[in-house]
Amino acid sequence: MMDRIYMDHGATSPMLPEALDIMTGILRNAYGNPSSIHGTGRQARKIVEEARRQAAKALNALPEEIFFTSGGTEGDNWALRGMTARGGHVITSSVEHHAVLHTCAALEKHGIVSTFLPVDENGRVRLEDAERAMRENTCLVSLMLANNEIGTIEPVKEVCASAHARGIPVHTDAVQAFGGIPVDVQELGVDILSLSAHKFGGPKGIGIMYVRKGTRLERYMTGGEQERRMRAGTENVASIAAAGAAMEAVSRSLPERIAKIRQMRDRLEEGIVREIPDVLINGGEAQRIPGCLNVSFLGLEGEAVLLRLDLAGIAASSGSACTAGSLDPSHVLMAIGRTRAQAQASVRFTLGVENSMAEVDEVLEVLPPLVADLRRLSGRA
Ligand code: PLP
């Protein structure tokens, strides 16, 4: 059987060797509970604190500003629920991940009103719209750093400066950004930032949360005294260590990583545009994270293209993995003004560091006849 080509890093990524090695070693040898005072516990505590130091360094934060969660969804929930605990109004965008959008919907039942900012045709929020939405009682702006479906980088730094001038704290969901662009909390100025390790070579089910010192964030998970009483629950020691190792490895190699991934993405995009008629590149004019390419193959269902790609051993996705299987067109593609049919014709390729140019070329060999065949079958070509 031929090797499969994996171009769905936006859904999840294979683990980096640095993360895998440390994780398996800990699972075998360091089973202590970091809260235990004996040597086995102290060994586990040391591992967690080393990962906290690595995460802090990668984000240009202080170790005491880093908290470990179960992933991006928990981080987004914590930011939104923890910042609205005393009431207030939230500003977010219409293209956020459902971890934010559905949490805003849930908060509405508790009297927390949210404003969902529109975006331009490339998925970018306009600063003027954000400023116009800021109110006396706005208690949080939550704006993603990079979009998970089309890769657009949002003006988080600019919105943050403007929100801070009005005393409003800012959260960013940087789940898709870390590993694709530099993520420096001082440069961005944000107060809270959520990450998920499995998107950049760490394991699933572990998240990293940055909370700037002095931010009035209420805890969300209650229970034990872990994470300086901010996030209860026995620490996932092996995954935390792997997340820290992945953050360190990614930060160390970021410029080369970005250059390699961007070159592959650009070649794939150019090849598709050159070889296949009637395609739309969604978010193509925006500044995007380097690995993301979202294409609508007009006249087709994205799902049909995906199934045929899968048969050819190529993994891509339609929209975000979390909404795969849903019949609704992507809220992100609808927000950038695509029609229902254009949105449903979309396929997302998300490349990662272990992909190769040879794989890109193979996709470019398979895809044009595959699309032509599907169009012929649907009577379109
Ligand atoms: N936020 C964004 C932008 C994402 O892309 C994802 C996952 O796809 C999440 C949040 C949720 O992260 P997790 O899967 O770690 O809960």
Side-chain angles (χ1 to χ4, degrees):
M1 186 180 147
M2 65 179 278
D3 282 345
R4 290 186 65 83
I5 296 177
Y6 186 77
M7 292 194 179
D8 197 12
H9 291 75
T12 195
S13 62
M15 281 182 69
L16 291 170
E18 292 88 339
L20 198 55
D21 286 350
I22 195 162
M23 186 162 176
T24 47
I26 290 170
L27 285 171
R28 277 180 211 289
N29 304 314
Y31 50 82
N33 183 327
S35 300
S36 302
I37 57 169
H38 45 64
T40 312
R42 291 200 306 277
Q43 177 195 26
R45 164 65 49 212
K46 219 170 133 197
I47 292 168
V48 170
E49 295 316 317
E50 170 59 11
R52 201 186 309 283
R53 191 196 58 74
Q54 289 171 315
K57 185 153 182 249
L59 296 173
N60 195 15
L62 298 169
E64 58 268 34
E65 294 174 317
I66 301 295
F67 299 88
F68 294 107
T69 66
S70 64
T73 301
E74 184 186 327
D76 290 348
N77 267 267
W78 184 10
L80 287 156
R81 292 172 193 273
M83 291 305 285
T84 56
R86 292 173 294 274
H89 162 246
V90 172
I91 298 172
T92 188
S93 82
S94 49
V95 294
E96 298 293 314
H97 189 270
H98 284 136
V100 168
L101 294 179
H102 289 174
T103 305
C104 288
L107 286 169
E108 191 113 22
K109 297 187 190 104
H110 301 281
I112 308 293
V113 174
S114 298
T115 301
F116 301 93
L117 300 172
V119 291
D120 67 16
E121 64 282 7
N122 283 296
R124 208 172 134 91
V125 158
R126 296 177 198 85
L127 180 61
E128 318 82 85
D129 288 335
E131 286 179 337
R132 214 171 303 124
M134 292 175 195
R135 303 187 196 158
E136 192 79 0
N137 70 337
T138 304
C139 61
L140 185 69
V141 174
S142 179
L143 178 60
M144 70 198 322
L145 190 49
N147 185 267
N148 49 303
E149 293 192 33
I150 58 176
T152 303
I153 298 169
E154 296 294 342
V156 171
K157 182 178 172 174
E158 294 75 8
V159 169
C160 189
S162 187
H164 281 179
R166 295 163 174 80
I168 304 169
V170 175
H171 160 247
T172 189
D173 171 339
V175 167
Q176 294 287 339
F178 189 85
I181 54 172
V183 178
D184 177 325
V185 291
Q186 308 311 334
E187 172 69 18
L188 289 169
V190 293
D191 305 283
I192 308 173
L193 178 142
S194 37
L195 293 180
S196 180
H198 73 103
K199 306 289 186 179
F200 55 83
K204 293 165 191 57
I206 191 79
I208 299 94
M209 183 87 157
Y210 160 77
V211 183
R212 188 178 291 278
K213 250 181 156 171
T215 305
R216 292 182 65 208
L217 177 71
E218 292 286 321
R219 85 184 90 156
Y220 163 56
M221 290 287 246
T222 48
E225 309 270 295
Q226 292 90 353
E227 296 292 276
R228 299 183 309 293
R229 303 192 66 239
M230 286 294 277
R231 198 277 183 182
T234 301
E235 296 88 340
N236 184 348
V237 179
S239 294
I240 287 173
M247 288 184 80
E248 188 171 274
V250 164
S251 308
R252 212 183 317 116
S253 59
L254 193 62
E256 306 89 78
R257 191 182 153 96
I258 292 174
K260 179 181 177 195
I261 297 174
R262 174 171 292 136
Q263 265 182 2
M264 293 188 293
R265 192 270 315 271
D266 289 352
R267 180 152 157 157
L268 182 60
E269 178 170 337
E270 283 157 23
I272 289 175
V273 170
R274 191 178 56 242
E275 302 292 334
I276 306 178
D278 297 332
V279 294
L280 290 175
I281 305 296
N282 297 309
E285 304 300 317
Q287 269 202 12
R288 280 174 293 169
I289 43 171
C292 189
L293 175 59
N294 190 311
V295 194
S296 290
F297 297 98
L298 300 180
L300 296 179
E301 289 289 328
E303 297 274 321
V305 179
L306 283 182
L307 291 175
R308 291 285 290 266
L309 281 173
D310 189 39
L311 286 174
I314 298 164
S317 73
S318 63
S320 76
C322 318
T323 48
S326 147
L327 291 176
D328 290 335
S330 144
H331 66 285
V332 175
L333 297 180
M334 296 307 282
I336 66 169
R338 296 301 190 218
T339 63
R340 248 185 119 82
Q342 289 170 341
Q344 275 168 337
S346 85
V347 173
R348 180 187 69 167
F349 298 91
T350 39
L351 286 77
V353 75
E354 86 294 338
N355 286 128
S356 65
M357 280 296 186
E359 289 181 328
V360 170
D361 289 343
E362 195 167 329
V363 174
L364 286 174
E365 234 168 73
V366 169
L367 197 54
L370 184 157
V371 170
D373 193 42
L374 283 173
R375 282 183 173 154
R376 191 181 48 75
L377 289 173
S378 68
R380 197 172 182 275

